[in-house]
Amino acid sequence: MAKKLFNTKIGLALGGGAAKGIAHVGVLKALEDQKVSIRYIAGTSVGAIIASLYAFNVSVDDIGGLAKRLTMSKVTSFKLSKTGFFTTASLRDLIVEYIGEVNIEDAKIPLAIVATDIRNGEEIILRKGSVADAVSASAAIPGIYIPVEIDNRSLVDGGLVQNVPIEALQAMGAGVTIASHLNSASQYSEISHVLDVMRNAFEIAVSHHTQDQLKDADVIISMDVSEFSLRDNTDRYDELFAIGYDTAAQQLNKLVWYKKGNVLLYPWRAAKEIAPFKVPEALKRASNKQD
């Protein structure tokens, strides 16, 4: 139990949000500037793209370079079939261009990528096998993209089951979890294309369970990026990067107690683990000041 209570290994979860994912790059930069060491990383959809690059030691600047190429035309290939209109083959090629044909288990930072089995609705946390295939599956919006076949499963966007993959981090062993969440607003992107309609519908469908999942995060970097496009923000890269950076910088003060080992919080966490009684309000208030 002591190992669990005093586990300060930090895990970062990067959520889905299509082309708005540029903001995650700003979050990574803020974490590096404040010397926050990420020990585990997990991603869903666009979060899986960025998490996989970072896990293989691609620099934030180079990740930004890729993010500037994340347009609909760059990451999709038209292929009409009974199960979708596009393939993620172009996205797969982009991942291979940056990190090669590598496997998840070989990542420098332990990596998890979340997808959904469209046949049975099961959450699939990918911890081994091809990174490029896993990322392609995690980003395959159902109804738009053809599912990706991995181990005899038809996999699609992980946002259906875990849009900000906190649970995946906890399963890997993270004691402290940071959630980078791209869809904090109650409104959604302006629609100018049928794909915007379909993506907004997808986001609406996953928003409620995402809020429940975020309750398990220790630090939430929640950004309102509703005014940005789901398909192409390359001309607004600096704006999205700044939103990610500034929001992360504001929230990272909540990690002070992890860095300094605040003596009040550990008894509080221990009490919650072992005591059947209510945690004293004075101790709870003292801990909350650190949050």
Side-chain angles (χ1 to χ4, degrees):
M1 178 173 291
K3 183 177 179 181
K4 178 181 178 182
L5 291 172
F6 291 89
N7 179 4
T8 59
K9 294 179 180 178
I10 296 173
L12 174 64
L14 302 179
K20 302 175 184 182
I22 290 170
H24 286 321
V25 185
V27 170
L28 290 175
K29 180 61 174 173
L31 289 165
E32 288 194 350
D33 284 353
Q34 296 207 26
K35 295 180 170 43
V36 176
S37 177
I38 300 302
R39 302 290 295 277
Y40 305 95
I41 193 164
T44 298
S45 195
V46 69
I49 298 172
I50 295 172
S52 65
L53 298 174
Y54 198 70
F56 279 88
N57 285 350
V58 178
S59 71
V60 172
D61 287 343
D62 285 342
I63 294 173
L66 178 142
K68 292 176 182 178
R69 300 169 63 185
L70 289 178
T71 64
M72 191 73 178
S73 62
K74 291 289 187 182
V75 298
T76 61
S77 303
F78 180 74
K79 183 181 179 181
L80 183 62
S81 80
K82 294 180 179 179
T83 56
F85 299 98
F86 302 95
T87 76
T88 51
S90 296
L91 172 59
R92 189 187 194 285
D93 291 343
L94 199 58
I95 296 298
V96 172
E97 177 186 335
Y98 274 76
I99 60 176
E101 290 281 7
V102 294
N103 288 334
I104 299 170
E105 61 267 31
D106 296 325
K108 307 305 179 185
I109 302 173
L111 169 67
I113 295 171
V114 179
T116 306
D117 187 328
I118 197 61
R119 291 195 182 104
N120 59 20
E122 184 180 350
E123 175 185 312
I124 306 298
I125 299 177
L126 297 163
R127 294 289 318 281
K128 62 181 181 178
S130 168
V131 173
D133 288 344
V135 169
S136 297
S138 185
I141 305 167
I144 299 177
Y145 293 96
I146 299 168
V148 176
E149 297 293 325
I150 298 178
D151 295 334
N152 296 316
R153 294 178 180 271
S154 294
L155 302 184
V156 298
D157 198 311
L160 285 170
V161 288
Q162 195 176 167
N163 197 45
V164 185
I166 299 299
E167 291 179 10
L169 294 176
Q170 294 169 335
M172 283 194 286
V176 181
T177 54
I178 303 173
S180 183
H181 177 41
L182 296 170
N183 301 302
S184 66
S186 58
Q187 61 183 16
Y188 298 88
S189 300
E190 290 295 325
I191 55 173
S192 59
H193 192 281
V194 65
L195 295 178
D196 296 330
V197 175
M198 297 178 75
R199 182 70 210 203
N200 274 10
F202 182 81
E203 289 192 4
I204 292 167
V206 305
S207 62
H208 295 294
H209 71 73
T210 299
Q211 293 304 317
D212 288 337
Q213 293 164 358
L214 287 171
K215 293 176 183 177
D216 291 331
D218 294 296
V219 177
I220 302 174
I221 301 168
S222 191
M223 295 163 275
D224 179 359
V225 289
S226 57
E227 68 172 276
F228 294 87
S229 169
L230 289 162
R231 291 179 289 118
D232 182 4
N233 291 309
T234 55
D235 61 335
R236 303 184 70 182
Y237 176 91
D238 291 342
E239 293 176 74
L240 273 167
F241 180 94
I243 289 173
Y245 187 96
D246 293 343
T247 307
Q250 292 168 7
Q251 294 298 315
L252 288 178
N253 64 346
K254 296 182 179 181
L255 285 174
V256 169
W257 68 266
Y258 292 107
K259 297 176 181 178
K260 296 184 177 179
N262 187 290
V263 295
L264 285 173
L265 186 60
Y266 289 129
W268 177 54
R269 293 179 75 184
K272 289 201 300 182
E273 290 288 335
I274 64 176
F277 49 81
K278 186 176 181 181
V279 177
E281 289 299 319
L283 186 56
K284 186 185 295 184
R285 285 195 300 271
S287 174
N288 286 340
K289 289 181 180 179
Q290 303 302 317
D291 295 336

